[in-house]
Amino acid sequence: MNSSKRYRPGTTTAPLRTLPGRLLAVVFLMLAGALPVRSQSNNPIRQSLETYRNRALQEKLFVHIDRSFYVAGELMWFKINDVDGSLHQPLWLSKVAYLEVLDKENRPVLQTKVALANGSGHGSLFLPTTLGSGHYLVRAYTNWMKNFGSDYFFEKPVTIVNTFRKLELPVVKDTLAYDVQFFAEGGNLVRTLTSTVAFKMLGVDGKGADLQGVVVDQNADTVVRFRPLKFGMGRFAFTPAEGRQYRAVLTDAKGKTVTRPLPVIQEQGYTLQVAEEGKDQLRVTIKTRTPMASPVYLLTHTRLAAIRADEQTFRDNTASFIVDKKSLGEGISHLTVFDASRKPVCERLYFKRPERRLNIDARLMSGTLSTREKAVFDLTTQDETGKAALTNLSVAVYRVDSLQPTESNDILSYLLLTSDLRGAVESPAYYFSATDPTVSEAADNLMLTQGWRRFRWENVLQTNPPAEEYLPEVNGHLIHGKIIHAATGQPGRGLGSYLSIPGKHILLYGSRSDAEGRIQFEMKDFFGPKDLVAQLNPKDSLYRVELQNPFFERFSAPRLPVFDFPTTLKEPLLDRSVPMQVQNAYYRGNLSRYQLPKIDSVAFYGAPDEKYRLDDFTRFPVMEEIFREYVPGVMARKRREGYHIAVLDLPYKQFFSGSPLVLLDGVPFFSMDKVMEIDPRKVQRLEVMTRKYIVGPLVFDGIVSFTTYKGDLAGYRPDAKALLAEYEGLQIPRDFYAPRYDTPQRSGSRMPDLRTLLHWVPALQTDGQGKGQFEFYTSDEEGTYRFMINGMTADGRAGSRQGTFDVTKVIK
């Protein structure tokens, strides 16, 4: 029998799990060749890496947050850029980003879901006065990024102070609370082989510390002295001798000492050393004490794009490779050594400063500004050659005070540096903009003291790797759940489930559970808070539905320093708190205006075959009479076991033998007796699909849909075993409000304007000539203001610009 099949996309498990592979393959075919690749095409290690790269697309998020210091009661504004992790070009894969604010215990205090379109999205968070004062971590990720661990989610610390609560500062103990770590170059210290040992010293504030250090042996004899070069990092050469044990002793400026262990010394193994070979080359030297060590392999790649794969044979337990620095991609490259069995034994990171970048020029058109005056900035965006670059920008303009630190987490340094490192990086912009002679050595120290790769080689080298657990949300938010037996807790396999949103906009989603009882529903255009109804067919009454938390519940290592707020900042804090209170008191309505998204209001089944507005017909008191009198597409018959409803299969002019899908305000009703009990006087319209209809994996013999006047089920309730849940959809973007003083009346208004955040625009586009402009009005607050601009072009050039200007008080 022919039938009309109207599919709801992405509602079954199997089709969704085949989609990413095809989609990611298309993405890589489009982007292939953007990074230089020079290696033997038949090298199996290189081939494994390229296969992994094509299968496991690396996705990165960068979040431009308007500031990094807030008082409770303010709004936090943000812009999210989604890029391909290898090429750093805008990525259109995921349509949803997850953003959280975590406290020091990794407990989420705020969470939101943000819609992504064309590789970006934006939103805001209100910081409630229930928050305690302290340092918090803002992190963002997509569903696909969950597959690769939380260490590479976007993370940025912010400070929130609640001026309505007494500050409860921790007691800082007078101890040598330094975090000191040592890292052998390549990962190994081997007895009698000389290695470079890097170190990182951090204070309680998370910043680099300046300690004097010495390595001593078991006899307390000094072996080497060391001191950091910059940001608490440095290096020294070290050769562990036979039969000797070592430790490091560190002394701070107050003369207090602490002892720390060095990395474990291996009796056999490999060491790696990288040294500059002239201006344009690197020499990579591998040494070993391992018997039968030949051959050895060196794989060089930049963000999973293979550049070289070379092979050498050991001579006198030494192998040497030359790497052309011009072949390396910009940012961080990996130099990985494999032994004869192709097992990774050493790895080294190398940083190459970028030449390819976006230059942003922002000029204030008036030299000085006074309060309540219009400010106009002209923008120019160009590439490194001076050619105009069409760019998508985000802009924040805020008052500078002693509370707000200078922003250094710009988009370029994040994409090329911090996003590929597991540890925190102090002042990342230094490695891109500094011109002092120590910057190259400081950057190399950073490479030596940071974590390893954002992937595991055992996963790369697998012949038949398992499917990724988390799917990319390519059309909308995926709600995941599980069907389990109510008594035993065992998964329910192959059971159909329904997810509906009661209302006048009829939305229904279907799913069938897999072998583990898992179900998922793809929620396209799902915005704002909603009441959800998840249920099974009553014939499966022994089972129940559980919905899962969409936010990731695994976290990276803690990075937040101890919160300590100096009493000397009491006045600046008051100057920040009063404007917040004034804004909330006088402009609350303006601060709560939202950009309602444009969504398709048509029911999920599209245009019905039959549609009846019941007010246009005689009002019958019972539903059976309505079907009998003027709804020819539906037949209702009462049998011994109860009512049976059938829909006319219109193409064949005969009634289906099975029951249709019956909906009341979008919620399925499975008992036809309950359907017939619906009071027709509460129903506004009736729609009928007189043909087979498919909702994901579920097939129905037609649809009968009732809609009440208010879309609130008119007092009827779903099945008692249905799961009723409040669920937050994608965030509805808030309008950024700022008054305009473009008339004498507005300029002379007596309404106080104490804004400290003057301007925020998440999506500002320059034209084909690289020209753009933004404007705003200053407030009543004089002082120094900073503008922070981040931008990205379609071909992956990223850049930022910041600067300051002064606002003076108008003297009348």
Side-chain angles (χ1 to χ4, degrees):
M1 177 181 294
N2 294 329
S3 62
S4 174
K5 297 183 179 181
R6 303 186 181 184
Y7 291 90
R8 295 295 298 165
T11 50
T12 61
T13 301
L16 267 175
R17 292 204 176 274
T18 58
L19 173 63
R22 295 196 302 269
L23 179 61
L24 302 188
V26 171
V27 171
F28 278 109
L29 285 174
M30 294 171 58
L31 302 180
L35 285 175
V37 178
R38 302 177 189 173
S39 60
Q40 300 91 328
S41 59
N42 61 350
N43 183 282
I45 300 174
R46 174 181 177 273
Q47 290 177 344
S48 296
L49 181 63
E50 291 180 346
T51 299
Y52 176 82
R53 177 172 176 252
N54 289 335
R55 177 178 61 85
L57 171 67
Q58 301 295 300
E59 188 175 19
K60 290 183 183 180
L61 296 184
F62 170 76
V63 185
H64 178 184
I65 305 173
D66 63 313
R67 290 170 288 184
S68 57
F69 184 95
Y70 300 89
V71 294
E74 289 185 322
L75 286 166
M76 174 190 294
W77 300 87
F78 56 84
K79 158 76 174 289
I80 300 176
N81 288 95
D82 184 7
V83 302
D84 172 86
S86 294
L87 309 177
H88 291 162
Q89 296 177 358
L91 187 63
W92 297 6
L93 176 67
S94 296
K95 297 300 183 292
V96 180
Y98 299 85
L99 187 138
E100 302 179 274
V101 179
L102 309 177
D103 66 11
K104 63 180 180 180
E105 306 296 334
N106 282 331
R107 292 173 300 202
V109 297
L110 295 171
Q111 295 176 317
T112 189
K113 310 175 191 76
V114 183
L116 299 178
N118 302 330
S120 67
H122 60 90
S124 62
L125 285 174
F126 176 73
L127 305 178
T129 54
T130 55
L131 295 177
S133 298
H135 297 304
Y136 292 82
L137 195 68
V138 176
R139 75 168 185 171
Y141 51 92
T142 66
N143 203 54
W144 178 250
M145 291 171 65
K146 295 176 185 177
N147 292 303
F148 310 103
S150 56
D151 283 325
Y152 295 100
F153 292 174
F154 173 87
E155 292 184 343
K156 178 177 180 176
V158 298
T159 302
I160 302 173
V161 175
N162 191 330
T163 57
F164 299 101
R165 292 184 179 182
K166 182 180 179 181
L167 282 176
E168 297 180 358
L169 299 177
V171 178
V172 180
K173 298 180 180 179
D174 186 19
T175 62
L176 195 62
Y178 297 105
D179 179 13
V180 181
Q181 301 176 56
F182 295 91
F183 305 83
E185 183 175 13
N188 306 318
L189 282 180
V190 180
R191 191 75 67 181
T192 73
L193 298 183
T194 300
S195 294
T196 298
V197 176
F199 56 87
K200 179 170 62 174
M201 308 170 176
L202 299 178
V204 293
D205 58 356
K207 305 294 184 181
D210 185 8
L211 307 178
Q212 295 187 42
V214 59
V215 175
V216 298
D217 61 14
Q218 71 273 21
N219 299 320
D221 292 334
T222 298
V223 177
V224 63
R225 298 181 182 275
F226 58 90
R227 191 163 188 173
L229 174 70
K230 197 168 185 67
F231 304 128
M233 294 178 290
R235 70 176 82 185
F236 56 85
F238 177 60
T239 306
E242 293 280 8
R244 299 176 73 180
Q245 303 299 320
Y246 303 92
R247 69 185 190 277
V249 180
L250 302 110
T251 307
D252 69 0
K254 297 180 180 179
K256 295 183 178 180
T257 63
V258 64
T259 301
R260 292 288 184 268
L262 292 180
V264 175
I265 301 171
Q266 302 177 10
E267 299 302 322
Q268 294 183 346
Y270 298 80
T271 64
L272 178 151
Q273 287 185 305
V274 176
E276 300 283 341
E277 186 82 1
K279 180 180 179 182
D280 300 322
Q281 293 180 323
L282 299 174
R283 177 172 293 278
V284 181
T285 303
I286 298 102
K287 295 185 178 182
T288 184
R289 289 188 67 184
T290 302
M292 305 295 292
S294 289
V296 67
Y297 305 90
L298 176 68
L299 177 68
T300 306
H301 73 88
T302 303
R303 297 184 296 277
L304 296 182
I307 296 170
R308 294 187 61 90
D310 296 321
E311 177 183 344
Q312 288 279 357
T313 300
F314 279 108
R315 294 183 179 180
D316 297 328
N317 293 327
T318 301
S320 183
F321 300 85
I322 295 294
V323 177
D324 185 357
K325 289 195 286 187
K326 293 182 180 179
S327 69
L328 301 177
E330 295 180 339
I332 296 176
S333 294
H334 293 64
L335 307 172
T336 310
V337 177
F338 297 81
D339 63 14
S341 62
R342 298 191 177 97
K343 175 184 176 182
V345 292
C346 293
E347 184 168 86
R348 170 72 145 84
L349 306 183
Y350 180 81
F351 177 70
K352 180 179 177 180
R353 282 172 60 133
E355 297 178 357
R356 183 176 179 270
R357 66 171 68 195
L358 173 69
N359 296 313
I360 303 173
D361 184 49
R363 297 188 179 184
L364 178 63
M365 300 310 294
S366 58
T368 58
L369 288 171
S370 58
T371 54
R372 298 199 177 190
E373 184 179 355
K374 184 177 182 179
V376 179
F377 278 82
D378 276 352
L379 295 172
T380 303
T381 53
Q382 299 175 328
D383 65 15
E384 64 281 358
T385 67
K387 182 180 178 181
L390 191 149
T391 308
N392 185 280
L393 303 163
S394 54
V395 182
V397 182
Y398 55 87
R399 192 179 68 177
V400 177
D401 54 30
S402 52
L403 303 173
Q404 172 65 46
T406 301
E407 293 292 344
S408 60
N409 191 14
D410 62 274
I411 188 170
L412 181 65
S413 64
Y414 178 78
L415 293 180
L416 291 181
L417 187 65
T418 55
S419 63
D420 288 324
L421 299 177
R422 185 168 293 173
V425 179
E426 182 179 349
S427 301
Y430 164 80
Y431 302 100
F432 293 81
S433 59
T435 57
D436 60 82
T438 63
V439 63
S440 295
E441 184 179 352
D444 209 43
N445 288 338
L446 177 66
M447 296 299 100
L448 290 168
T449 57
Q450 292 299 317
W452 286 64
R453 60 193 80 84
R454 60 165 50 239
F455 61 93
R456 296 181 180 274
W457 274 110
E458 53 265 33
N459 296 336
V460 174
L461 300 175
Q462 282 184 359
T463 305
N464 297 306
E468 304 295 354
E469 180 179 359
Y470 300 97
L471 303 176
E473 295 175 306
V474 297
N475 288 313
H477 175 48
L478 291 174
I479 293 182
H480 295 269
K482 195 170 185 179
I483 299 176
I484 61 175
H485 195 281
T488 66
Q490 294 299 309
R493 302 177 178 88
L495 301 180
S497 56
Y498 308 81
L499 186 69
S500 52
I501 304 172
K504 304 193 75 172
H505 181 199
I506 309 302
L507 296 175
L508 179 71
Y509 308 87
S511 182
R512 190 174 297 279
S513 58
D514 64 10
E516 301 298 326
R518 294 173 299 193
I519 54 176
Q520 62 185 24
F521 307 93
E522 188 173 65
M523 315 292 287
K524 187 176 181 181
D525 296 331
F526 181 52
F527 289 88
K530 296 284 193 281
D531 292 325
L532 301 184
V533 179
Q535 56 185 323
L536 306 173
N537 194 304
K539 67 180 181 180
D540 301 316
S541 59
L542 296 178
Y543 295 87
R544 72 171 187 268
V545 178
E546 293 181 349
L547 298 183
Q548 296 175 353
N549 180 11
F551 292 92
F552 205 49
E553 296 179 339
R554 293 194 288 272
F555 307 93
S556 62
R559 301 181 185 178
L560 295 175
V562 176
F563 178 65
D564 183 21
F565 193 82
T567 57
T568 55
L569 297 179
K570 181 179 179 180
E571 287 301 321
L573 183 61
L574 181 64
D575 289 342
R576 186 73 174 268
S577 178
V578 171
M580 173 273 295
Q581 297 179 60
V582 169
Q583 287 293 101
N584 287 325
Y586 289 93
Y587 300 97
R588 181 177 297 274
N590 291 321
L591 298 176
S592 301
R593 299 187 305 192
Y594 297 89
Q595 305 170 14
L596 296 178
K598 297 180 181 179
I599 59 176
D600 187 359
S601 60
V602 178
F604 72 91
Y605 46 77
D609 297 320
E610 296 179 9
K611 183 175 182 179
Y612 304 93
R613 188 174 181 271
L614 269 59
D615 288 339
D616 296 337
F617 298 87
T618 301
R619 280 292 189 175
F620 294 102
V622 293
M623 193 62 68
E624 184 177 0
E625 292 182 344
I626 289 179
F627 289 142
R628 182 185 306 118
E629 295 298 330
Y630 56 83
V631 185
V634 179
M635 177 180 66
R637 293 290 184 267
K638 190 170 185 179
R639 300 174 180 174
R640 180 177 300 179
E641 68 276 9
Y643 273 100
H644 174 75
I645 296 178
V647 168
L648 181 67
D649 186 2
L650 188 59
Y652 295 91
K653 294 184 172 55
Q654 63 182 12
F655 286 92
F656 289 110
S657 59
S659 297
L661 171 65
V662 181
L663 306 170
L664 178 63
D665 291 334
V667 178
F669 272 60
F670 300 98
S671 170
M672 297 303 104
D673 289 344
K674 288 187 177 180
V675 172
M676 301 307 291
E677 293 173 2
I678 296 175
D679 187 347
R681 292 168 296 185
K682 297 181 179 181
V683 177
Q684 183 182 41
R685 69 177 186 267
L686 168 62
E687 297 178 340
V688 182
M689 298 297 293
T690 57
R691 64 193 74 190
K692 277 188 178 292
Y693 194 86
I694 299 175
V695 180
L698 311 178
V699 183
F700 302 99
D701 288 341
I703 297 177
V704 179
S705 176
F706 300 96
T707 304
T708 64
Y709 284 95
K710 295 183 179 180
D712 59 356
L713 300 179
Y716 295 94
R717 289 293 175 262
D719 185 88
K721 294 187 178 181
L723 173 64
L724 308 181
E726 294 181 358
Y727 197 93
E728 189 76 28
L730 304 184
Q731 181 180 123
I732 300 175
R734 187 193 308 259
D735 284 329
F736 179 80
Y737 170 73
R740 297 180 61 86
Y741 299 111
D742 50 358
T743 66
Q745 292 78 13
R746 291 178 177 177
S747 181
S749 170
R750 299 182 63 182
M751 287 283 287
D753 181 4
L754 304 184
R755 290 173 296 129
T756 57
L757 178 66
L758 297 183
H759 192 58
W760 166 256
V761 54
L764 175 62
Q765 193 85 13
T766 58
D767 59 23
Q769 287 72 47
K771 300 296 184 181
Q773 189 178 87
F774 66 91
E775 61 182 46
F776 55 89
Y777 286 85
T778 60
S779 66
D780 296 336
E781 294 286 280
E782 61 180 338
T784 299
Y785 287 79
R786 180 179 303 277
F787 61 86
M788 182 70 190
I789 306 172
N790 280 299
M792 170 166 281
T793 64
D795 63 357
R797 284 178 170 83
S800 65
R801 179 66 184 272
Q802 58 178 307
T804 60
F805 61 92
D806 293 324
V807 175
T808 58
K809 197 77 171 180
V810 175
I811 300 177
K812 298 183 179 179

